[in-house]
Amino acid sequence: DAMVIQNPRYQVTQFGKPVTLSCSQTLNHNVMYWYQQKSSQAPKLLFHYYDKDFNNEADTPDNFQSRRPNTSFCFLDIRSPGLGDAAMYLCATSIDGNSNQPQHFGDGTRLSIL
Amino acid sequence: GQNIDQPTEMTATEGAIVQINCTYQTSGFNGLFWYQQHAGEAPTFLSYNVLDGLEEKGRFSSFLSRSKGYSYLLLKELQMKDSASYLCANQAGTALIFGKGTTLSVSS
């Protein structure tokens, strides 16, 4: 089935050690999003790609970077994770970002910082 | 701004009907989504409203009043599996702005 796949489901890293989370999609959607969701909070958009165009949210820390080497894959890089970065990271896609198209979410990667 | 407000928690019993309300700021409105999120899982799409009125989809219905900046999700014939967080989200450009979610607990 077409889907949004995130790997790994659970990731543990050390304070300050770079970590990369991955997302792939078989939906051939143009737009890919990364959200951060902390416990009991709303998903917060970090950035998104419309095709190859990168769109960073104004309040996303510089510590967070993203890469989209092709249509199917998108990566979230955290250069120096801090304890406050422990969260669920959700990848989502949409066909073209238009308002009447729902976003399709992956199962998320839960990141823990030691 | 895109403040979205919804109740933090609600409880209900199996077979009952529950209404989850959501209010949002009307500036930049492009459509109102409802998502369901079970603990530890990804949000899944439930409904979308862009015009005023009620959209019915099986046991779930969603209502929108654009002039009031108000929406609700109506869940009928509640089942235990409906225990989850329900997220209201406003489309802003190509991004979704989510509320904090309403945690619904269904008991037998």
Side-chain angles (χ1 to χ4, degrees):
Chain A
D1 291 338
M3 58 180 64
V4 181
I5 303 167
Q6 292 188 242
N7 285 305
R9 290 293 306 277
Y10 301 92
Q11 175 74 56
V12 181
T13 191
Q14 292 178 341
F15 182 94
K17 185 175 181 180
V19 65
T20 294
L21 310 182
S22 71
C23 177
S24 63
Q25 55 128 344
T26 60
L27 297 160
N28 203 33
H29 284 177
N30 287 319
V31 191
M32 295 187 77
Y33 307 81
W34 280 104
Y35 290 87
Q36 179 193 63
Q37 186 177 25
K38 296 186 177 181
S39 181
S40 301
Q41 295 186 22
K44 178 181 178 300
L45 182 66
L46 296 173
F47 25 58
H48 72 277
Y49 274 94
Y50 190 108
D51 196 12
K52 297 179 181 179
D53 293 331
F54 178 69
N55 298 272
N56 196 32
E57 293 301 298
D59 56 354
T60 298
D62 293 340
N63 198 26
F64 291 84
Q65 304 285 320
S66 186
R67 296 170 284 135
R68 188 179 186 186
N70 54 53
T71 300
S72 300
F73 285 87
C74 195
F75 300 98
L76 169 61
D77 301 308
I78 309 177
R79 292 190 297 186
S80 182
L83 297 179
D85 297 328
M88 173 77 87
Y89 290 88
L90 295 164
C91 174
T93 71
S94 70
I95 293 175
D96 54 14
N98 283 338
S99 58
N100 63 341
Q101 298 295 332
Q103 293 185 14
H104 299 263
F105 285 82
D107 287 335
T109 294
R110 184 167 295 282
L111 178 66
S112 300
I113 314 295
L114 299 180
Chain B
Q2 294 287 347
N3 289 337
I4 297 176
D5 293 314
Q6 48 182 134
T8 303
E9 293 181 343
M10 297 184 72
T11 59
T13 55
E14 271 187 303
I17 299 173
V18 69
Q19 177 174 312
I20 303 174
N21 297 323
C22 170
T23 58
Y24 62 91
Q25 291 188 347
T26 56
S27 62
F29 175 77
N30 284 316
L32 199 291
F33 289 85
W34 283 95
Y35 282 79
Q36 180 192 59
Q37 186 176 26
H38 285 98
E41 297 182 11
T44 55
F45 169 74
L46 288 179
S47 69
Y48 170 74
N49 295 71
V50 68
L51 299 177
D52 291 350
L54 188 68
E55 295 279 343
E56 298 187 75
K57 191 184 292 186
R59 293 190 299 116
F60 293 2
S61 303
S62 57
F63 171 84
L64 178 68
S65 170
R66 289 172 294 171
S67 62
K68 296 181 180 178
Y70 167 70
S71 174
Y72 67 72
L73 180 69
L74 192 70
L75 294 79
K76 303 176 185 176
E77 301 171 16
L78 280 174
Q79 302 175 10
M80 297 292 286
K81 67 178 182 179
D82 297 329
S83 294
S85 181
Y86 291 86
L87 300 164
C88 174
N90 187 8
Q91 182 90 22
T94 55
L96 281 178
I97 308 299
F98 284 93
K100 291 186 177 181
T102 299
T103 300
L104 174 65
S105 300
V106 180
S107 59
S108 56

